[in-house]
Amino acid sequence: MLYRPPFPLDLGAVLAPHRRGKGDPCQRHEAGITWLTGNTPEGPATLMLRRFADGEVEAQAWGPGGDRLLDGVPALLGARDDDREFVAHHDLVATVRRRKPGLRLGATGRVWDALVPAVLEQKVTGIEARRSWRELCRWFGEPAPGPAPAGLRVPPSPRAILSIVDWKWHRAGVDLSRRRALIFAAQVAHRLERAAVLGGAEGRALLRKVPGIGVWTAAEVAQRAWGDPDAVSFGDFHIPSVVGYALLGKALDDAGLAEVLAPYAPQRQRAVRYVEAAGFSRPRFGPRLPVRDYRAL
């Protein structure tokens, strides 16, 4: 399949939110090719993307769910993203928007695959969450279909999550609260996929009906599953400070973040993405959050 986006496309920037660290076993970029995997109603699948110099994108897929991933390529690359009503209220946001016209909000259309790593990232460091994600994918995710690079895995399916016994959760470094959230979500996973159809606040509200899924987790899923332009990750350890220092020169809490982003509604998350794309980082005044290893408890 060949797809020529009718808009400027920064492929790396669009796909970046879907990658969980450099060692993500479900996404890999090498030799100009990006490999991604996913669960679909038809089964697991692998997607290969290659962007040519003229802007055209080649896509191939393998596995029972391959056709579904191919059909979703335009949305994944931001074809459904509509930023025409967006107005920049800060110079930094306006500058990044002008310099990065290819930065779009892509949508996978798959709730479950975004939900598992989001739950793993609840209230722990990125190092801890990515370690657990890699190990769960390696132990309970299927090998990627097709001629995929060695070690590429499909995210664990709901059935696979429900098969995990306590000692294996412990071995993967997943504490009781996060494992419970994943188990509750796996039990109703087929219903949760409807959130991507509902979209917006309604879709996020559906996700939050699951015990253990709050505002932060629902927003993280919404950003990836349906490219929600207004789903801000309130409750995040870093985002309020990063946005605050970038736009106001001072740290913010969630209330302050909500206030500074209010003029951007209903596209507040897009403004956050522009701040993140600027490469701005908050000043560090104290020790970092310690990395815990639940396997040692």
Side-chain angles (χ1 to χ4, degrees):
M1 167 185 168
L2 292 175
Y3 173 65
R4 183 178 293 278
F7 46 78
L9 174 64
D10 184 336
L11 185 63
V14 171
L15 296 179
H18 307 283
R19 188 179 187 185
R20 308 291 177 158
K22 294 181 179 179
D24 189 345
C26 302
Q27 183 178 150
R28 189 173 302 176
H29 182 81
E30 55 184 37
I33 296 176
T34 300
W35 298 87
L36 309 96
T37 62
N39 289 291
T40 75
E42 295 78 21
T46 302
L47 177 67
M48 182 278 289
L49 297 172
R50 173 165 42 200
R51 186 176 184 275
F52 297 110
D54 64 358
E56 194 168 52
V57 178
E58 175 190 4
Q60 296 185 50
W62 298 266
D67 287 344
R68 184 176 290 265
L69 291 195
L70 282 178
D71 290 343
V73 165
L76 175 65
L77 302 185
R80 296 179 183 175
D81 186 24
D82 186 357
D83 65 351
R84 289 174 295 180
E85 301 299 321
F86 183 84
V87 177
H89 296 276
H90 296 86
D91 290 342
L92 175 69
V93 174
T95 299
V96 177
R97 179 172 168 78
R98 183 175 62 253
R99 291 179 178 176
K100 295 182 178 290
L103 179 60
R104 304 181 67 83
L105 306 182
T108 66
R110 302 189 310 279
V111 169
W112 173 256
D113 286 352
L115 187 147
V116 176
V119 171
L120 292 176
E121 291 171 357
Q122 291 177 351
K123 299 180 180 179
V124 297
T125 66
I127 293 174
E128 295 171 83
R130 290 165 184 170
R131 180 177 59 208
S132 296
W133 172 241
R134 290 193 302 269
E135 294 181 349
L136 289 179
C137 290
R138 178 162 55 93
W139 298 336
F140 301 103
E142 296 185 31
L152 197 68
R153 310 290 289 186
V154 178
S157 68
R159 178 174 295 183
I161 288 294
L162 292 174
S163 74
I164 303 175
V165 297
D166 283 350
W167 73 268
K168 290 187 177 179
W169 281 117
H170 185 75
R171 186 180 174 192
V174 183
D175 60 34
L176 186 59
S177 63
R178 289 181 293 158
R179 73 179 72 167
R180 281 177 174 171
L182 286 173
I183 290 170
F184 286 139
Q187 292 170 339
V188 294
H190 61 291
R191 299 179 187 175
L192 296 183
E193 294 299 327
R194 184 166 175 264
V197 178
L198 295 172
E202 192 174 0
R204 300 196 299 273
L206 175 59
L207 296 178
R208 291 179 61 191
K209 292 181 181 295
V210 178
I213 296 181
V215 172
W216 183 89
T217 307
E220 290 287 307
V221 174
Q223 292 162 18
R224 295 161 175 83
W226 62 89
D228 193 326
D230 202 46
V232 180
S233 302
F234 290 109
D236 193 90
F237 183 73
H238 300 286
I239 290 176
S241 292
V242 170
V243 173
Y245 275 107
L247 301 184
L248 303 178
K250 63 179 182 180
L252 296 174
D253 55 14
D254 271 356
L257 178 66
E259 183 178 353
V260 76
L261 292 179
Y264 290 101
Q267 299 198 41
R268 294 174 297 173
Q269 175 57 22
R270 191 185 308 279
V272 174
R273 283 293 307 279
Y274 283 135
V275 171
E276 293 174 332
F280 194 91
S281 60
R282 65 186 178 92
R284 298 188 181 276
F285 299 109
R288 296 185 178 185
L289 190 67
V291 177
R292 296 163 293 179
D293 189 344
Y294 289 98
R295 297 171 297 184
L297 299 179

